[in-house]
Amino acid sequence: GWKVSMKSGSLSYILPYNRLPVQLMSQVRVYTSNGQKKDLGSEDTNGSAHGETLHKVEAGRQDTTNAGQKQSSPKQPIQVKVKAVLKKREYGPKYTQNNFITGVRAINEFCLKSSDLDQLRKIKRRSPHDDTETFTVYLRSDVEAKSLEVWGSPEALARERKRRKEAEIKYRENLFRNQRLLWEYKEFFGNTKPRSSTASMFFKGPGKVVMVAICINGLNFFFKLLAWVYTGSASMFSEAIHSLADTCNQALLALGISQSARTPDPSHPYGFTNMRYIASLISGVGIFMMGAGLSWYHGIMGLLHPHPVESLLWAYCILAGSLVSEGATLLVAINEIRRSARAKGLSFYQYAVVQSRDPSTNVVLLEDAAAVLSVAVAATCMGLTSLTGNPYYDSVGSLGVGTLLGTVSAFLIYTNTEALLGRSIEPEQLQRLTELLESDPVVRAIHDVKATDMGMSKVRFKAEVDFDGRVVTRSYLEKQDIEQLLQEIQQVKTLEELEAFMLKHGENIVDTLGAEVDRLEKDLKQRNPDVRHVDLEIL
C-alpha cells in the first residue's frame, strides 16, 4: 500500500508503507540564460521540520508492525539526477523584432524615402528569385524606429498612410481616364516601341491557325448565306449558320490568345494562360447555342412546314468551294498539332484529345472536321431532295448538321471544363518528378504530392518533403573550417557561450536547408521545362 507521502522542497514522493526510511536527495538546479542557478528543495526550516515529523511517524509505524523482525538489507539512498534547463524565453503573441523586410516594402509601408534607408544597417540574405543569389534587406525594428524619427509619432505615420491609401484609391478610379490620356498623347510620344508579342503571336503557331480559320469561315458564311437566299434550302441555312458560328467562335479564340499573353500582376500572380481555355469553353457553348440550336430549329420547322426547294446548282458549287476551303484549314490545324505533339514527344491522339494541350488549335481542328462532315451531310441530303423532290430529306440534313455540331460542342465544353478545374498531370510524368526528388541524398521521403496542369504546358508542383537533417548539417560542415570550429567548441565554458554558439550555427544550418530547397526547385525546373512553379514544404 502506497500510504506515506513525503515532500521535500518542490518535489513530492509517495513511499510504500512497508519500506524502510530512506534518504532523499531532491535538489534541482534551474539554470537561466545568464548563468545564474537556483536551488529548489534545499534544506530549509519548514522542509526539515516536516521531514522530521514524517520520519517519526514512519519509525513509530515500523516499531508497531515490524516488531521482532530484523532488517534484511542496508539503507540505500534514492538518487535524483540534476538536469540543467535553459530558461524559456517568452516572445508574446506578436514578435517582429527579428523580421527582415525589403527596401520596397519599407518605403511603401512605412512612408520612407530611399535616402532614409541609406542610414540603416544593410543585411545580405539569400534571394527567393532565380535570377539573383542574394539581395539586401533591413531589420524591421530599424525601419520602424526610422519611420518614427521621420514622422515624429505613430499618429502622424498613420495619417500619412491613410492619405496615401486614399490617393491610391483615387488613382485606380481614374485609371481609365489616364489610359485615354496616354492614348491621346501616343502620337506626341512617338511610336518607338517594337511590335508587341501579342501581335506577333498571330503570325505563328495557334494564332496563325486561328486567323486563317477566321478569314476562310467568314468568306464561307457570306457565300452560303447568298446560296440560302437564292435556294431557300434548310441544309444550306444550317451551313451558313455553321460558318457564322465558327467565325464568331474563332474570334473569341483570338481574343483568348491575346489575353493569355498578358504578364502576371499582383491580382493574378500565375498569369492569364487559362484565358485560352475560357475562350474555348465559351466557343463550345456558342457552337451549341448558335450552331446546333438554330440548325435543329430550322430542320424541325422544315419537317413541320415543308416547302419546295429551288434550283440547287449554286448551292452545290458553294458547298464544293466550302469543302475545299474547310479542308485547307483542317490541314493547317492538323499540321500544327503534329508539330507541337512531336516537340512534346507525344502522339497526335494524346496531345489533341487526351491532354488537350492547345485548346485554340483543338477548337479549330474540331470545328473544321465538323464542317467537312457537315458539308458532306448537307450535299447528300440536298442531292436526295433534288432527285426525289421530297423536301423532308433536306430538313433531315439540317437536323444531322445540328447533331454533329452538338456533339463537337459537348466535347469542347467537357475538355475545357476539366482543364479549368485544375487536372493532374500524367502519372508517368508525376512519377519522374517524384523519383527525381527521392533520388537526392538530402531527401528522406516526400508526401502529399500534387502536380496540377495550369494550361499551355505549365505545371505547378507541390510536395511535403522530409529532409535528412544529418545530410543538411554535413553539407554545412563541408563549407566550414573544421579546426576553427573545434576551437570554438573548446572555448565554450559557460551557458552564455553555449547559447551563442548554438544560435550562430543553428541559423547557418537553417540557411543551408533553404539553399537545399532552392537547389531542388531549380533542378526540377531545369529537367522538366513544363514545371514553372514549385512549392516544396518542409515536413
Side-chain angles (χ1 to χ4, degrees), residues 107 310 381:
I107 292 174
E310 302 295 333
C381 293

Side-chain angles (χ1 to χ4, degrees), residues 340-414:
S340 301
R342 194 181 306 113
K344 296 293 182 182
L346 299 173
S347 64
F348 183 90
Y349 178 77
Q350 284 285 333
Y351 185 90
V353 180
V354 177
Q355 299 187 17
S356 187
R357 289 295 189 95
D358 189 351
S360 302
T361 307
N362 286 351
V363 171
V364 175
L365 173 68
L366 292 175
E367 286 182 349
D368 289 337
V372 172
L373 293 176
S374 64
V375 166
V377 171
T380 302
C381 293
M382 289 169 61
L384 291 174
T385 299
S386 62
L387 290 175
T388 62
N390 188 353
Y392 286 108
Y393 290 108
D394 187 55
S395 299
V396 171
S398 179
L399 293 175
V401 173
T403 303
L404 184 61
L405 293 178
T407 304
V408 171
S409 64
F411 178 78
L412 290 176
I413 291 172
Y414 172 75

Side-chain angles (χ1 to χ4, degrees), residues 10 22 48 55 76 190 261 265 280 333-334 336 366 369 375 397 480 516:
S10 62
V22 296
S48 60
H55 180 73
Q76 294 182 357
D265 56 27
S280 300
I334 290 175
E336 176 62 25
L366 292 175
V375 166
Q480 306 300 316
E516 293 293 335

Side-chain angles (χ1 to χ4, degrees), residues 9-78:
S10 62
L11 298 179
S12 175
Y13 301 91
I14 300 177
L15 300 180
Y17 172 78
N18 56 357
R19 292 287 182 90
L20 295 177
V22 296
Q23 284 183 333
L24 300 177
M25 300 177 64
S26 57
Q27 188 176 22
V28 178
R29 298 174 183 174
V30 179
Y31 290 83
T32 61
S33 58
N34 57 7
Q36 297 178 356
K37 61 182 180 180
K38 291 181 178 182
D39 292 340
L40 299 178
S42 59
E43 295 180 357
D44 54 303
T45 305
N46 297 332
S48 60
H50 184 67
E52 291 176 1
T53 304
L54 291 176
H55 180 73
K56 291 178 181 180
V57 173
E58 177 67 19
R61 292 181 178 179
Q62 289 288 342
D63 293 340
T64 304
T65 58
N66 299 328
Q69 296 182 359
K70 295 182 179 181
Q71 297 180 357
S72 60
S73 60
K75 299 178 181 180
Q76 294 182 357
I78 297 177

Side-chain angles (χ1 to χ4, degrees), residues 13-157:
Y13 301 91
I14 300 177
L15 300 180
Y17 172 78
N18 56 357
R19 292 287 182 90
L20 295 177
V22 296
Q23 284 183 333
L24 300 177
M25 300 177 64
S26 57
Q27 188 176 22
V28 178
R29 298 174 183 174
V30 179
Y31 290 83
T32 61
S33 58
N34 57 7
Q36 297 178 356
K37 61 182 180 180
K38 291 181 178 182
D39 292 340
L40 299 178
S42 59
E43 295 180 357
D44 54 303
T45 305
N46 297 332
S48 60
H50 184 67
E52 291 176 1
T53 304
L54 291 176
H55 180 73
K56 291 178 181 180
V57 173
E58 177 67 19
R61 292 181 178 179
Q62 289 288 342
D63 293 340
T64 304
T65 58
N66 299 328
Q69 296 182 359
K70 295 182 179 181
Q71 297 180 357
S72 60
S73 60
K75 299 178 181 180
Q76 294 182 357
I78 297 177
Q79 297 182 356
V80 180
K81 294 183 179 180
V82 178
K83 182 179 181 181
V85 181
L86 184 65
K87 185 178 180 181
K88 184 178 180 180
R89 180 174 296 180
E90 298 293 340
Y91 293 100
K94 183 178 180 181
Y95 184 79
T96 60
Q97 297 302 315
N98 60 345
N99 287 8
F100 293 140
I101 60 176
T102 60
V104 175
R105 185 179 173 188
I107 292 174
N108 293 334
E109 293 186 10
F110 294 92
C111 305
L112 296 176
K113 300 178 181 178
S114 57
S115 58
D116 298 329
L117 301 179
D118 295 338
Q119 307 171 9
L120 303 181
R121 289 179 293 177
K122 298 179 177 62
I123 303 172
K124 293 290 184 179
R125 299 293 296 176
R126 230 174 3 94
S127 174
H129 308 291
D130 297 334
D131 54 349
T132 56
E133 294 183 357
T134 60
F135 74 134
T136 303
V137 294
Y138 301 89
L139 201 61
R140 184 187 180 98
S141 57
D142 294 346
V143 175
E144 290 177 349
K146 187 63 179 179
S147 64
L148 292 179
E149 178 185 344
V150 171
W151 295 102
S153 65
E155 292 76 12
L157 178 60

